[in-house]
Amino acid sequence: MKISGKILSLVLAWMLCIPVLHAETVTLNLKDADISALISTVAEVANKNFIVDPRVKGKVTVVSSRPMNSEEVYQVFLSILKVHGFAAVPSGEVIKIIPDVNAKQDSIPTTTDRDPGVGDEMVTRVIQVDNVAAAQLVPILRPLVPQQGHLAAYPATNVLIISDRASNVERLVSIIRRIDQVSDSEIEIIPLAHASATEVVRVLTSLTRGRAAAGKGAAAGASEQVLVADERTNSVLLGGDRAARLRLRAIISHLDTPLESGGNTDVVYLRYAEATKVVDVLMGVGKIEEKEAAQGKTKATGASRGGSFDIQADESTNALVITAPPDIMRTLKRVISQLDIRKAQVLVEAVIAEVSGDVAKDLGVQWLFSGDREGGESPVGVVNFTNTGSTITDVVNGVASAIDGGALPAAAGNVLLGFGDVSQDNSFNYVAIMNALASDTNSNVLSTPTLVTLDNEEAEIVIGRNVPFVTGSFTSTGAATGSTNPFQTIQREDVGLTLKIKPQINEGDALRLDIEQEVSSIAPSVAGASDLVTKKRAIKTNVMVDDGQVVVLGGLIEETVGEDEQKVPLLGDIPLLGNLFKSRATDITKTNLMVFIHPVILRDSSVASHYTNSKYNYIRALQMGEDAEGVDLMPGKSHPVLPEFDEFSSLPAQQGAVPAPAQSVDTGSDATNE
């Protein structure tokens, strides 16, 4: 029987590697044996089934001085595979022998603390970390895991996942358990009896920062210290390592001491709020705090029991002088810090237009008849209408002058006709006035006032004249002298443009505007009026508008039509010819008031400077345009022109608020005011 060379080599290797074979123990001694022969031997001794990857090749050498049982042989086999870069991966009833680099991606078993695995078998272990962040351990343990192993952190549950040999995984677990210890960094709450928690935290924070900047030994731990002030309980929350906390607690105990003078008076300077207006609010808050302390609802210190408080406002320095127990003092200062904030401003640009139109037409004929007869002059008849611009009685004297050869004045819009012979007696004379007048008046009163005011503060602008109105008259007679002393009472009122606005900034960019707007003017006198007559257009409303949005108010159109006809009875009713004995007048008046409001929130100085710059440059451009045209009656003279805005805003304060114009000319007080 012939035996192939390969089978013979396997048999010889098996005979060499097992010189002594007992029923329960095996002694391994191999020198440059093929790894396939070793796998076959272990499969028979350990009673296991192996599937060998084609890449598993090589020579192995094993030196054993004592017999081993089947389990020990299998563990030695795993160690041999590890040395040669291979791994055994269980898969059901068989064990796969594959290269080490692929083992972590295969179905290696997942072990636990109770069953961690043995020796050099490939395992996966999930390790729970309790006191430190698992991600922080990865860079520490990474050098201890071989290249073919796996190490990763899962922050969601704070665990580590390790795939490696069971012995190395167990070593890593022991290292993790020594690192994963409860820290002595705790949070302490230190209540204060006399000092303010906010001030103590400010002092300690400055101290720790100063030590860190100076590079002291404790500066390394200063960054881990936690200092937080709880104003409600007047306590300091202190965190960090034990040594740092002991040092800070000693400092806090020295700071939390009562004042030697026994007084509790402090001066608080306000930056934005008005001291006199804040006093009433603070007095109410202080009384509530004092009442709650007396009822035991708040923690009352020794200084606050039986104490009282007082608040005074110093208008000259805009400061508050507060005398109160420490707990009430802290509450008042917290309220002051929330009230003393910079308020936003509101720029309101308005366009006010009042458009009116008057159309009037008069048409009529008036007559005057007169005759001369022997022995005297006597008029024959007069046709006089009162709804025309000029009546026949206005020219009676002129008629007489015309008859005598003089000039007869005629009113505008009237045609005067006169006939007669004044050289003979018993002559007949007549004068006719024909009124034909049409007028059309349109006026557009346009104003663009601009106001800037603080949030929730009313602003008003008035542009007009102060007109006197007679409110009464009285005449007294002296008892002794009999002389009279007449006098009148007069009341002056503004006539012109008035705009009042009170803005309130709501959440976001919405604005609530309380608007009062009035346009008044002096109207022509009417029949029956005892004094001046004024026209008035007013709007009073509340609107909600967004920042930068334009809202329109008004739009009320008033239109009146008046007709008047006067005629001579019977003669005025004659067709066509009757128009010579009629007078007709028609008057149409229409008025429309429109107000446009454009509010803008000025939250900071940059936005306010932008709008100020634009308005300033607009006025300067108008002045430069007038200066380019020159002064008509004074050649060579120029109008005053404002300096550039950057030059104006950079002037020192001692030079005055308004600098001298770059070019000036004496144009009189009226022109200067304009």
Side-chain angles (χ1 to χ4, degrees):
M1 180 179 180
K2 297 182 179 180
I3 303 175
S4 64
K6 185 176 181 180
I7 296 177
L8 181 62
S9 63
L10 290 175
V11 173
L12 292 176
W14 178 76
M15 294 177 64
L16 292 174
C17 71
I18 309 179
V20 181
L21 179 61
H22 301 282
E24 297 181 356
T25 60
V26 175
T27 301
L28 291 178
N29 285 295
L30 301 175
K31 183 177 181 181
D32 295 333
D34 192 279
I35 192 171
S36 300
L38 176 63
I39 294 174
S40 301
T41 302
V42 174
E44 183 177 350
V45 173
N47 194 23
K48 296 182 182 296
N49 301 320
F50 295 107
I51 298 177
V52 183
D53 190 281
R55 293 170 292 180
V56 179
K57 296 178 182 180
K59 302 292 184 179
V60 298
T61 299
V62 182
V63 179
S64 176
S65 61
R66 66 176 183 83
M68 297 176 290
N69 58 29
S70 60
E71 184 63 28
E72 291 175 337
V73 170
Y74 184 69
Q75 293 299 324
V76 171
F77 174 66
L78 294 179
S79 300
I80 294 173
L81 292 179
K82 175 185 177 182
V83 171
H84 289 79
F86 305 117
V89 179
S91 178
E93 297 295 331
V94 299
I95 299 174
K96 296 181 288 186
I97 309 299
I98 60 176
D100 234 349
V101 294
N102 303 117
K104 62 183 179 181
Q105 301 171 353
D106 215 321
S107 58
I108 58 178
T110 301
T111 60
T112 62
D113 292 341
R114 293 184 179 181
D115 185 16
V118 182
D120 290 328
E121 62 175 320
M122 289 291 296
V123 297
T124 297
R125 186 88 168 263
V126 179
I127 306 169
Q128 180 68 49
V129 183
D130 299 323
N131 301 299
V132 297
Q136 295 180 354
L137 297 177
V138 172
I140 299 175
L141 301 176
R142 174 64 67 185
L144 304 179
V145 179
Q147 184 178 3
Q148 63 271 18
H150 175 73
L151 174 63
Y154 183 60
T157 56
N158 202 43
V159 297
L160 286 172
I161 302 174
I162 305 176
S163 295
D164 198 8
R165 307 289 176 175
S167 57
N168 192 42
V169 171
E170 190 64 23
R171 180 173 70 100
L172 295 176
V173 170
S174 64
I175 296 174
I176 293 172
R177 295 292 180 248
R178 297 188 65 178
I179 297 175
D180 188 23
Q181 300 293 328
V182 178
S183 174
D184 61 350
S185 177
E186 300 177 357
I187 301 295
E188 296 185 33
I189 301 177
I190 306 175
L192 304 182
H194 306 284
S196 171
T198 305
E199 290 298 318
V200 170
V201 169
R202 183 183 62 81
V203 172
L204 294 179
T205 302
S206 300
L207 177 63
T208 53
R209 288 178 180 175
R211 291 175 61 86
K216 300 295 182 182
S223 60
E224 301 178 359
Q225 296 173 1
V226 179
L227 286 168
V228 179
D230 182 20
E231 297 183 0
R232 187 179 65 86
T233 60
N234 195 40
S235 303
V236 176
L237 278 67
L238 179 61
D241 60 89
R242 184 175 303 173
R245 285 189 280 111
L246 289 175
R247 179 175 59 85
L248 293 178
R249 288 194 64 176
I251 299 175
I252 292 174
S253 63
H254 285 288
L255 294 176
D256 188 26
T257 56
L259 298 175
E260 295 181 358
S261 60
N264 293 297
T265 302
D266 198 357
V267 178
V268 180
Y269 294 94
L270 303 181
R271 294 177 297 175
Y272 306 106
E274 189 174 346
T276 55
K277 294 183 178 180
V278 177
V279 170
D280 294 337
V281 178
L282 297 180
M283 289 295 293
V285 174
K287 290 179 180 178
I288 295 175
E289 290 291 322
E290 191 176 39
K291 182 178 179 180
E292 292 183 352
Q295 295 176 353
K297 294 183 180 180
T298 59
K299 181 180 178 181
T301 63
S304 64
R305 288 192 295 268
S308 60
F309 73 96
D310 181 67
I311 305 174
Q312 299 292 332
D314 182 25
E315 296 186 18
S316 60
T317 59
N318 195 37
L320 296 171
V321 182
I322 305 175
T323 301
D327 53 346
I328 298 180
M329 179 74 76
R330 288 189 295 270
T331 302
L332 294 178
K333 286 187 176 181
R334 183 171 66 252
V335 174
I336 291 172
S337 64
Q338 296 175 354
L339 293 177
D340 189 24
I341 59 175
R342 177 171 179 169
K343 299 173 65 176
Q345 298 183 100
V346 179
L347 168 68
V348 180
E349 297 176 304
V351 176
I352 303 172
E354 185 183 41
V355 182
S356 62
D358 295 336
V359 179
K361 290 185 178 181
D362 297 334
L363 180 61
V365 179
Q366 302 178 78
W367 297 91
L368 173 62
F369 302 95
S370 65
D372 294 335
R373 62 184 178 178
E374 187 175 356
E377 299 179 357
S378 61
V380 175
V382 176
V383 178
N384 186 26
F385 299 119
T386 60
N387 62 352
T388 60
S390 300
T391 62
I392 194 66
T393 57
D394 296 334
V395 293
V396 171
N397 296 329
V399 171
S401 300
I403 293 175
D404 294 335
L408 176 63
N414 299 322
V415 179
L416 178 63
L417 300 176
F419 297 93
D421 187 2
V422 298
S423 61
Q424 300 177 0
D425 293 335
N426 300 322
S427 64
F428 179 75
N429 304 294
Y430 66 92
V431 175
I433 298 180
M434 184 176 65
N435 300 305
L437 176 64
S439 64
D440 190 354
T441 304
N442 291 319
S443 60
N444 187 356
V445 181
L446 182 63
S447 179
T448 58
T450 301
L451 286 174
V452 178
T453 181
L454 291 174
D455 179 27
N456 214 26
E457 297 287 343
E458 184 180 272
E460 178 182 5
I461 184 172
V462 178
I463 304 173
R465 293 178 292 178
N466 193 259
V467 180
F469 292 88
V470 178
T471 58
S473 61
F474 183 76
T475 303
S476 62
T477 304
T481 61
S483 60
T484 59
N485 182 23
F487 66 89
Q488 292 179 330
T489 58
I490 295 175
Q491 180 180 351
R492 292 183 174 272
E493 295 186 5
D494 294 329
V495 176
L497 170 68
T498 302
L499 178 63
K500 292 182 181 179
I501 291 184
K502 183 178 181 180
Q504 180 180 345
I505 302 176
N506 296 338
E507 183 179 359
D509 292 334
L511 280 164
R512 182 180 184 272
L513 299 177
D514 295 342
I515 303 173
E516 294 185 24
Q517 188 275 325
E518 177 182 316
V519 176
S520 58
S521 60
I522 300 176
S525 298
V526 296
S530 59
D531 203 348
L532 299 178
V533 178
T534 59
K535 294 189 299 182
K536 180 180 179 180
R537 299 288 184 271
I539 297 175
K540 184 177 182 180
T541 184
N542 298 326
V543 297
M544 186 72 70
V545 59
D546 292 335
D547 179 23
Q549 182 182 358
V550 178
V551 62
V552 60
L553 309 175
L556 178 63
I557 300 177
E558 176 188 8
E559 183 174 1
T560 59
V561 179
E563 292 184 344
D564 186 14
E565 180 179 296
Q566 297 180 2
K567 62 182 178 179
V568 177
L570 299 179
L571 295 178
D573 296 330
I574 300 174
L576 298 178
L577 187 61
N579 292 326
L580 298 176
F581 302 95
K582 288 183 181 179
S583 178
R584 289 174 295 179
T586 303
D587 188 9
I588 300 177
T589 303
K590 182 185 294 185
T591 304
N592 186 10
L593 177 65
M594 301 291 291
V595 179
F596 300 90
I597 302 294
H598 176 229
V600 178
I601 301 176
L602 306 179
R603 298 191 182 275
D604 50 37
S605 58
S606 61
V607 179
S609 298
H610 168 72
Y611 281 94
T612 302
N613 191 356
S614 62
K615 291 292 183 181
Y616 186 91
N617 290 335
Y618 173 73
I619 298 299
R620 186 171 184 272
L622 292 179
Q623 291 182 337
M624 294 178 65
E626 292 183 355
D627 184 60
E629 295 179 359
V631 181
D632 293 339
L633 299 181
M634 294 185 180
K637 298 295 183 179
S638 59
H639 291 275
V641 178
L642 291 172
E644 293 186 0
F645 183 78
D646 295 338
E647 178 184 353
F648 171 71
S649 60
S650 62
L651 289 176
Q654 60 268 21
Q655 293 186 10
V658 180
Q663 298 175 345
S664 62
V665 61
D666 187 7
T667 58
S669 58
D670 294 338
T672 303
N673 293 332
E674 292 179 359

